[in-house]
Amino acid sequence: MISDYILEMNSIDKSFFKVKVLDAVTLKVKPGEVHALIGENGAGKSTLMKILMGIYQRDNGQVIINGEEVVFRSPHDAITHGVSMIHQELNPILDMEVSENIFLGREIKTTNLGPLSLVNKKEQRLQTRALFSRMGINIDPRALMKNLSVAQRQLVEIVKAISLSARVVIMDEPTSAITDKEIKTLFEQIFKLKAENVAIIYISHKLEEVLQVADRITVLRDGRLICTDEARNLSHDQLISMMVGREIKEIYPKQIVETGPVVLEVKDFCRVGHFQNISFSLRKGEILGIAGLVGAGRSELVESIFGITKPDNGELFVDGRKIKIRHPQTAIQQKIALITEDRKYTGLNLKTSVEHNISIVGLDSLSRFGLINMRKEGEVAESQIKAMRIKVFSRKSAVSSLSGGNQQKVVLAKWLMTKPEIIILDEPTRGIDVGAKRDIYLLIGELARAGKAILMISSEIPELMGLCDRILVLAAGRLTGIIERKDFSQEAIMRLASKFEAANHE
Amino acid sequence: MSEKAINEKSRVNLASIRELGIFAAFVIIMVILMILSPNAFARPANLINILKQASINGILATGMMYVIISGGIDLSVGSIVALSGVIAASFAHPGEYPLIVPIVLAIVTGALVGFLNGVGVAYGNIPPFIVTLGTMTIVRGIALIAANGQPVFNVTKEFERLAGGFVFGVIPNLVVYFIVITLILAFILTRTVFGRRVYAIGGNETAAQVSGINVERIKVAVYTLCGFLAGIAGILLASRIISGNPTSGQAYELDAIAAVIIGGVSMSGGAGKWYGTVIGALLIAVISNGLDILNVSSHFQLIIKGLIIIIAVLIDIKGKRKL
């Protein structure tokens, strides 16, 4: 019997500690199609994919590949059956070069001495170069992984999956860290793969993108299959309401707030190789967005404002007073908070509890003579968990057990403990689901209404347009324009953001 | 009421599998030894003796625990024990100085070495393993030079009583020091801002720095504390062996590290409980005491001790996967 489908996952059940995380979920994928899998965090997408990859074992149901029932005990089994996955969290070996990462575990050998064989680096580089040129990617196969940008690492990962001659490729949030131009390159790759009859399971939170690239869409919610349909029959709003299980009237709840005096002024900020001559001011109650492509110097700029790195030149005024910030401590004393982009790297201590993460910046206010008032700490943590609607079993739970959206709320809660007046957010909604995004948007709006000044970096232009009063655009480390809310348009922002694009990609 | 419920839940959450594991292992080993040797091992006098045997390593392990939680390691503590012992004994000859002088000088010496370790790690950005490997060798050399290569004998009775004395005639002073020091440092680790910051820098140094924590200063403090405790351990050892021996304390750093790791403190920093370290130190003492009583040769004891370290870490890793 020949099936229409390259992959069928039928009535998959899975429970963890008696909690059902997948309940009779069915996913059928045709060869040569892009099948988007969407749903909020915790909907069961990752679990389903981990079952497919052999990382978890299903409790019930069957997996059929090419008409043959299979049981994968490890990712290795999955890969040999032509299923490979590009993970959301990339795991390259940073001290190896690009070609070595591509051929990791299946090195090309010069001799046949088993584990003692010599690796034919030259041939690996040659083949890598061929793969890259076939896909129009401009990366040196000899470059060390650690010297590549996140976006470039992602492209390498994609090439690696493709070079495994996979028939089903799972892409988990492939565009969460790459620029619009690189997304275009990625989509070109996807179309080439389709032409070669490869099936792609595409997981993303960016619905615009999903509607653009997917042929069919499957929506999961709370471990159940909600719908599978042709993408052209579905609209953005329909998808959202299926994902969250309720109507969302407005995704961006913008409140117009009367702005007050200037609280932060940045003058002629320069850091060689990162940004130059940046000047702007931020008012009380204002939400000021920073747009720009990845690599435009946005994160580097706010890191210098916050004292993590030292600017080479420039002045900073808080409430009209000139301040020198050389360490985050000074910034915190000036009532500035920075919610960094990379939760796992700079935001959280994943080895400890939600409570201890929330309290760490504000410990001084919870202690006397260096002794922590643990009752007060617990109360504050509880109230923050409630106020931020962090979904967690207990404040003592490990923060690593939370979903991305809830982890991000923990980072926000931690910084709000310091009662900041100036709040800098770097990609506050990166990689989190629609429901948590909306919670964060509402919170940002409330903070602005409470008179906080907000500086917000985002790569999602609709998000900036929805929330901000003004948007500041950076390109190649330079300030290319500041747009007022009434003049917002995607085109205007993109034009300013790509001003030096040619110069940047020499 | 809800507050109480939350507290109870959290207690279950906190008692992570690996600590239960090590506690269970400790109890099982105790029971086995009591059955095998009801008359010798299980006698109260012997149990107190075990506490005494655990005490110097226990004090070193407490300092080591701070360092390991902060994400580092300190190999120099054994050499510090020797140097501070030599210094203490040199200033404890009868009729020269009051008892406080050798005590203060030895402790200051230990703390100073620790401080230098901390400066090297925090401001020199040298890996802790390298810095303390260097000072381990240097300090051993200084101890040998200071003592002319020979043990320093002829100390006062008072000095001898520091470790050799008893409280109420039954509890060895050593055990009292061990308990008091452990409790104070446990309190600092769990209840103070400083303690919380030690965990924070070990858990994620970058995040700690972004959170406004002065990472360098905390590191210097942690290594200084570890050196300070090694200084105390040095005095106690010199008092116990009634001399300052420049070759004493060899491999003490490894026993301290073993106690910390058996106790479930993560080698990569950021996690671990003080009572785990106490159990780790006790377990090491119980094993050597029990095996001595059972007439197992000291050569075999080494093998058993090594196996227990590996098994403890294995439990640690398996436990984490399950969580």
PDB file of all heavy atoms in Angstrom, chain B residues 11 23 44 47 49 57 90 116 148 165 169 174 183 202 204-205 232 243 251 255 263 288 290 300 304 308 315:
ATOM      1  N   ARG B  11       9.230  22.105  50.489  1.00  0.00           N
ATOM      2  CA  ARG B  11      10.174  21.243  51.200  1.00  0.00           C
ATOM      3  C   ARG B  11      10.378  19.946  50.419  1.00  0.00           C
ATOM      4  O   ARG B  11      11.482  19.469  50.258  1.00  0.00           O
ATOM      5  CB  ARG B  11       9.650  20.964  52.608  1.00  0.00           C
ATOM      6  CG  ARG B  11      10.749  20.626  53.564  1.00  0.00           C
ATOM      7  CD  ARG B  11      10.318  20.849  55.004  1.00  0.00           C
ATOM      8  NE  ARG B  11      10.053  22.247  55.296  1.00  0.00           N
ATOM      9  CZ  ARG B  11       9.282  22.637  56.292  1.00  0.00           C
ATOM     10  NH1 ARG B  11       8.679  21.765  57.055  1.00  0.00           N
ATOM     11  NH2 ARG B  11       9.093  23.907  56.522  1.00  0.00           N
ATOM     12  N   PHE B  23      22.294  10.708  51.661  1.00  0.00           N
ATOM     13  CA  PHE B  23      21.895  10.489  53.050  1.00  0.00           C
ATOM     14  C   PHE B  23      21.589   9.008  53.273  1.00  0.00           C
ATOM     15  O   PHE B  23      22.023   8.405  54.261  1.00  0.00           O
ATOM     16  CB  PHE B  23      20.673  11.349  53.393  1.00  0.00           C
ATOM     17  CG  PHE B  23      20.403  11.417  54.857  1.00  0.00           C
ATOM     18  CD1 PHE B  23      21.230  12.170  55.689  1.00  0.00           C
ATOM     19  CD2 PHE B  23      19.350  10.716  55.416  1.00  0.00           C
ATOM     20  CE1 PHE B  23      20.995  12.211  57.047  1.00  0.00           C
ATOM     21  CE2 PHE B  23      19.107  10.763  56.780  1.00  0.00           C
ATOM     22  CZ  PHE B  23      19.935  11.518  57.597  1.00  0.00           C
ATOM     23  N   PRO B  44      29.622   4.377  71.686  1.00  0.00           N
ATOM     24  CA  PRO B  44      29.534   5.854  71.674  1.00  0.00           C
ATOM     25  C   PRO B  44      30.917   6.495  71.595  1.00  0.00           C
ATOM     26  O   PRO B  44      31.104   7.469  70.866  1.00  0.00           O
ATOM     27  CB  PRO B  44      28.857   6.182  73.010  1.00  0.00           C
ATOM     28  CG  PRO B  44      28.106   4.943  73.375  1.00  0.00           C
ATOM     29  CD  PRO B  44      28.844   3.786  72.790  1.00  0.00           C
ATOM     30  N   LEU B  47      31.973   6.539  68.105  1.00  0.00           N
ATOM     31  CA  LEU B  47      31.210   7.470  67.270  1.00  0.00           C
ATOM     32  C   LEU B  47      31.730   8.899  67.471  1.00  0.00           C
ATOM     33  O   LEU B  47      31.858   9.676  66.517  1.00  0.00           O
ATOM     34  CB  LEU B  47      29.715   7.364  67.591  1.00  0.00           C
ATOM     35  CG  LEU B  47      29.101   5.986  67.260  1.00  0.00           C
ATOM     36  CD1 LEU B  47      27.618   5.962  67.612  1.00  0.00           C
ATOM     37  CD2 LEU B  47      29.293   5.631  65.789  1.00  0.00           C
ATOM     38  N   ASN B  49      34.724   9.562  68.319  1.00  0.00           N
ATOM     39  CA  ASN B  49      36.024   9.519  67.656  1.00  0.00           C
ATOM     40  C   ASN B  49      35.897   9.785  66.146  1.00  0.00           C
ATOM     41  O   ASN B  49      36.717  10.477  65.552  1.00  0.00           O
ATOM     42  CB  ASN B  49      36.646   8.142  67.912  1.00  0.00           C
ATOM     43  CG  ASN B  49      38.109   8.134  67.530  1.00  0.00           C
ATOM     44  OD1 ASN B  49      38.775   9.165  67.645  1.00  0.00           O
ATOM     45  ND2 ASN B  49      38.599   7.006  67.074  1.00  0.00           N
ATOM     46  N   ASN B  57      39.050  17.752  58.342  1.00  0.00           N
ATOM     47  CA  ASN B  57      38.601  17.704  56.947  1.00  0.00           C
ATOM     48  C   ASN B  57      37.273  18.433  56.778  1.00  0.00           C
ATOM     49  O   ASN B  57      37.051  19.116  55.774  1.00  0.00           O
ATOM     50  CB  ASN B  57      38.482  16.254  56.473  1.00  0.00           C
ATOM     51  CG  ASN B  57      38.138  16.160  55.001  1.00  0.00           C
ATOM     52  OD1 ASN B  57      38.582  16.998  54.213  1.00  0.00           O
ATOM     53  ND2 ASN B  57      37.352  15.175  54.635  1.00  0.00           N
ATOM     54  N   SER B  90      55.821  27.623  65.631  1.00  0.00           N
ATOM     55  CA  SER B  90      57.018  28.440  65.830  1.00  0.00           C
ATOM     56  C   SER B  90      56.790  29.543  66.861  1.00  0.00           C
ATOM     57  O   SER B  90      57.735  29.996  67.506  1.00  0.00           O
ATOM     58  CB  SER B  90      57.455  29.094  64.517  1.00  0.00           C
ATOM     59  OG  SER B  90      57.628  28.120  63.527  1.00  0.00           O
ATOM     60  N   LEU B 116      45.296  36.148  48.068  1.00  0.00           N
ATOM     61  CA  LEU B 116      46.097  36.190  46.834  1.00  0.00           C
ATOM     62  C   LEU B 116      45.516  35.254  45.778  1.00  0.00           C
ATOM     63  O   LEU B 116      45.458  35.597  44.595  1.00  0.00           O
ATOM     64  CB  LEU B 116      47.557  35.836  47.143  1.00  0.00           C
ATOM     65  CG  LEU B 116      48.274  36.852  48.044  1.00  0.00           C
ATOM     66  CD1 LEU B 116      49.669  36.361  48.401  1.00  0.00           C
ATOM     67  CD2 LEU B 116      48.355  38.220  47.373  1.00  0.00           C
ATOM     68  N   ASN B 148      62.791  24.963  58.146  1.00  0.00           N
ATOM     69  CA  ASN B 148      64.078  24.341  57.869  1.00  0.00           C
ATOM     70  C   ASN B 148      63.945  22.866  57.500  1.00  0.00           C
ATOM     71  O   ASN B 148      64.843  22.069  57.784  1.00  0.00           O
ATOM     72  CB  ASN B 148      64.984  24.450  59.103  1.00  0.00           C
ATOM     73  CG  ASN B 148      66.002  25.553  58.893  1.00  0.00           C
ATOM     74  OD1 ASN B 148      66.410  25.810  57.755  1.00  0.00           O
ATOM     75  ND2 ASN B 148      66.395  26.210  59.972  1.00  0.00           N
ATOM     76  N   GLY B 165      42.079  19.036  73.948  1.00  0.00           N
ATOM     77  CA  GLY B 165      41.223  19.159  75.131  1.00  0.00           C
ATOM     78  C   GLY B 165      39.814  18.640  74.905  1.00  0.00           C
ATOM     79  O   GLY B 165      39.447  18.233  73.794  1.00  0.00           O
ATOM     80  N   GLY B 169      34.676  17.180  79.618  1.00  0.00           N
ATOM     81  CA  GLY B 169      35.427  15.949  79.788  1.00  0.00           C
ATOM     82  C   GLY B 169      35.141  14.834  78.794  1.00  0.00           C
ATOM     83  O   GLY B 169      35.794  13.805  78.823  1.00  0.00           O
ATOM     84  N   LEU B 174      37.950  19.538  69.187  1.00  0.00           N
ATOM     85  CA  LEU B 174      37.901  19.521  67.720  1.00  0.00           C
ATOM     86  C   LEU B 174      36.469  19.427  67.207  1.00  0.00           C
ATOM     87  O   LEU B 174      36.089  20.109  66.255  1.00  0.00           O
ATOM     88  CB  LEU B 174      38.693  18.314  67.198  1.00  0.00           C
ATOM     89  CG  LEU B 174      40.191  18.505  66.979  1.00  0.00           C
ATOM     90  CD1 LEU B 174      40.811  17.185  66.524  1.00  0.00           C
ATOM     91  CD2 LEU B 174      40.441  19.584  65.934  1.00  0.00           C
ATOM     92  N   LEU B 183      28.153  25.497  61.521  1.00  0.00           N
ATOM     93  CA  LEU B 183      26.863  26.170  61.673  1.00  0.00           C
ATOM     94  C   LEU B 183      26.957  27.643  61.270  1.00  0.00           C
ATOM     95  O   LEU B 183      26.074  28.168  60.596  1.00  0.00           O
ATOM     96  CB  LEU B 183      26.351  26.025  63.116  1.00  0.00           C
ATOM     97  CG  LEU B 183      25.917  24.600  63.481  1.00  0.00           C
ATOM     98  CD1 LEU B 183      25.416  24.556  64.919  1.00  0.00           C
ATOM     99  CD2 LEU B 183      24.830  24.101  62.521  1.00  0.00           C
ATOM    100  N   GLY B 202      28.336  31.471  40.850  1.00  0.00           N
ATOM    101  CA  GLY B 202      28.625  30.112  40.395  1.00  0.00           C
ATOM    102  C   GLY B 202      27.582  29.614  39.407  1.00  0.00           C
ATOM    103  O   GLY B 202      27.874  28.831  38.522  1.00  0.00           O
ATOM    104  N   ASN B 204      25.581  31.501  37.246  1.00  0.00           N
ATOM    105  CA  ASN B 204      25.710  32.164  35.945  1.00  0.00           C
ATOM    106  C   ASN B 204      26.441  33.482  36.175  1.00  0.00           C
ATOM    107  O   ASN B 204      25.840  34.478  36.568  1.00  0.00           O
ATOM    108  CB  ASN B 204      24.332  32.396  35.317  1.00  0.00           C
ATOM    109  CG  ASN B 204      24.440  32.981  33.922  1.00  0.00           C
ATOM    110  OD1 ASN B 204      25.481  33.523  33.535  1.00  0.00           O
ATOM    111  ND2 ASN B 204      23.375  32.874  33.162  1.00  0.00           N
ATOM    112  N   GLU B 205      27.723  33.459  35.924  1.00  0.00           N
ATOM    113  CA  GLU B 205      28.557  34.607  36.243  1.00  0.00           C
ATOM    114  C   GLU B 205      28.145  35.856  35.457  1.00  0.00           C
ATOM    115  O   GLU B 205      28.066  36.954  36.013  1.00  0.00           O
ATOM    116  CB  GLU B 205      30.025  34.262  35.963  1.00  0.00           C
ATOM    117  CG  GLU B 205      30.965  35.308  36.493  1.00  0.00           C
ATOM    118  CD  GLU B 205      32.427  34.881  36.410  1.00  0.00           C
ATOM    119  OE1 GLU B 205      32.713  33.677  36.542  1.00  0.00           O
ATOM    120  OE2 GLU B 205      33.261  35.760  36.189  1.00  0.00           O
ATOM    121  N   ILE B 232      42.897  27.938  60.162  1.00  0.00           N
ATOM    122  CA  ILE B 232      42.384  27.359  61.406  1.00  0.00           C
ATOM    123  C   ILE B 232      42.695  25.862  61.457  1.00  0.00           C
ATOM    124  O   ILE B 232      43.183  25.337  62.464  1.00  0.00           O
ATOM    125  CB  ILE B 232      40.857  27.588  61.524  1.00  0.00           C
ATOM    126  CG1 ILE B 232      40.570  29.080  61.691  1.00  0.00           C
ATOM    127  CG2 ILE B 232      40.283  26.794  62.696  1.00  0.00           C
ATOM    128  CD1 ILE B 232      39.097  29.428  61.749  1.00  0.00           C
ATOM    129  N   SER B 243      53.100  19.550  67.005  1.00  0.00           N
ATOM    130  CA  SER B 243      54.250  20.087  66.279  1.00  0.00           C
ATOM    131  C   SER B 243      53.766  20.719  64.987  1.00  0.00           C
ATOM    132  O   SER B 243      52.676  20.398  64.513  1.00  0.00           O
ATOM    133  CB  SER B 243      55.243  18.960  65.937  1.00  0.00           C
ATOM    134  OG  SER B 243      54.616  18.039  65.073  1.00  0.00           O
ATOM    135  N   ALA B 251      47.718  16.279  50.352  1.00  0.00           N
ATOM    136  CA  ALA B 251      46.480  15.718  49.765  1.00  0.00           C
ATOM    137  C   ALA B 251      45.226  16.028  50.592  1.00  0.00           C
ATOM    138  O   ALA B 251      44.179  15.471  50.325  1.00  0.00           O
ATOM    139  CB  ALA B 251      46.608  14.203  49.545  1.00  0.00           C
ATOM    140  N   ASP B 255      40.867  15.408  49.923  1.00  0.00           N
ATOM    141  CA  ASP B 255      39.832  14.912  50.833  1.00  0.00           C
ATOM    142  C   ASP B 255      38.710  15.939  50.981  1.00  0.00           C
ATOM    143  O   ASP B 255      37.534  15.585  51.046  1.00  0.00           O
ATOM    144  CB  ASP B 255      40.432  14.614  52.214  1.00  0.00           C
ATOM    145  CG  ASP B 255      40.951  13.178  52.294  1.00  0.00           C
ATOM    146  OD1 ASP B 255      40.654  12.397  51.356  1.00  0.00           O
ATOM    147  OD2 ASP B 255      41.637  12.842  53.266  1.00  0.00           O
ATOM    148  N   GLY B 263      28.989  15.111  48.898  1.00  0.00           N
ATOM    149  CA  GLY B 263      27.823  15.790  49.468  1.00  0.00           C
ATOM    150  C   GLY B 263      26.891  16.397  48.436  1.00  0.00           C
ATOM    151  O   GLY B 263      25.926  17.062  48.787  1.00  0.00           O
ATOM    152  N   SER B 288      36.817   5.296  56.784  1.00  0.00           N
ATOM    153  CA  SER B 288      38.168   4.887  57.199  1.00  0.00           C
ATOM    154  C   SER B 288      38.162   4.319  58.610  1.00  0.00           C
ATOM    155  O   SER B 288      38.867   3.351  58.881  1.00  0.00           O
ATOM    156  CB  SER B 288      39.197   6.007  57.028  1.00  0.00           C
ATOM    157  OG  SER B 288      38.648   7.235  57.313  1.00  0.00           O
ATOM    158  N   GLY B 290      35.623   2.682  60.085  1.00  0.00           N
ATOM    159  CA  GLY B 290      35.005   1.363  60.028  1.00  0.00           C
ATOM    160  C   GLY B 290      35.946   0.332  59.430  1.00  0.00           C
ATOM    161  O   GLY B 290      36.095  -0.785  59.951  1.00  0.00           O
ATOM    162  N   PHE B 300      43.801  -1.005  50.752  1.00  0.00           N
ATOM    163  CA  PHE B 300      42.471  -1.278  50.219  1.00  0.00           C
ATOM    164  C   PHE B 300      41.505  -0.117  50.492  1.00  0.00           C
ATOM    165  O   PHE B 300      40.624   0.176  49.707  1.00  0.00           O
ATOM    166  CB  PHE B 300      41.895  -2.558  50.832  1.00  0.00           C
ATOM    167  CG  PHE B 300      42.366  -3.799  50.132  1.00  0.00           C
ATOM    168  CD1 PHE B 300      43.346  -4.605  50.683  1.00  0.00           C
ATOM    169  CD2 PHE B 300      41.832  -4.139  48.896  1.00  0.00           C
ATOM    170  CE1 PHE B 300      43.794  -5.731  50.019  1.00  0.00           C
ATOM    171  CE2 PHE B 300      42.276  -5.267  48.228  1.00  0.00           C
ATOM    172  CZ  PHE B 300      43.263  -6.069  48.787  1.00  0.00           C
ATOM    173  N   ILE B 304      38.551   1.745  48.114  1.00  0.00           N
ATOM    174  CA  ILE B 304      37.143   1.882  48.491  1.00  0.00           C
ATOM    175  C   ILE B 304      36.724   3.349  48.501  1.00  0.00           C
ATOM    176  O   ILE B 304      35.672   3.727  47.988  1.00  0.00           O
ATOM    177  CB  ILE B 304      36.900   1.215  49.861  1.00  0.00           C
ATOM    178  CG1 ILE B 304      37.111  -0.298  49.716  1.00  0.00           C
ATOM    179  CG2 ILE B 304      35.499   1.513  50.383  1.00  0.00           C
ATOM    180  CD1 ILE B 304      37.130  -1.056  51.016  1.00  0.00           C
ATOM    181  N   ILE B 308      33.851   5.166  46.168  1.00  0.00           N
ATOM    182  CA  ILE B 308      32.704   5.887  46.728  1.00  0.00           C
ATOM    183  C   ILE B 308      32.569   7.274  46.105  1.00  0.00           C
ATOM    184  O   ILE B 308      31.457   7.727  45.816  1.00  0.00           O
ATOM    185  CB  ILE B 308      32.814   5.951  48.271  1.00  0.00           C
ATOM    186  CG1 ILE B 308      32.510   4.554  48.810  1.00  0.00           C
ATOM    187  CG2 ILE B 308      31.859   6.973  48.854  1.00  0.00           C
ATOM    188  CD1 ILE B 308      32.682   4.418  50.290  1.00  0.00           C
ATOM    189  N   ILE B 315      25.583   9.021  41.119  1.00  0.00           N
ATOM    190  CA  ILE B 315      24.238   9.253  41.669  1.00  0.00           C
ATOM    191  C   ILE B 315      23.811  10.690  41.368  1.00  0.00           C
ATOM    192  O   ILE B 315      22.697  10.965  40.948  1.00  0.00           O
ATOM    193  CB  ILE B 315      24.229   9.020  43.200  1.00  0.00           C
ATOM    194  CG1 ILE B 315      24.489   7.548  43.500  1.00  0.00           C
ATOM    195  CG2 ILE B 315      22.890   9.456  43.807  1.00  0.00           C
ATOM    196  CD1 ILE B 315      24.666   7.260  44.986  1.00  0.00           C
TER     197      ILE B 315
END
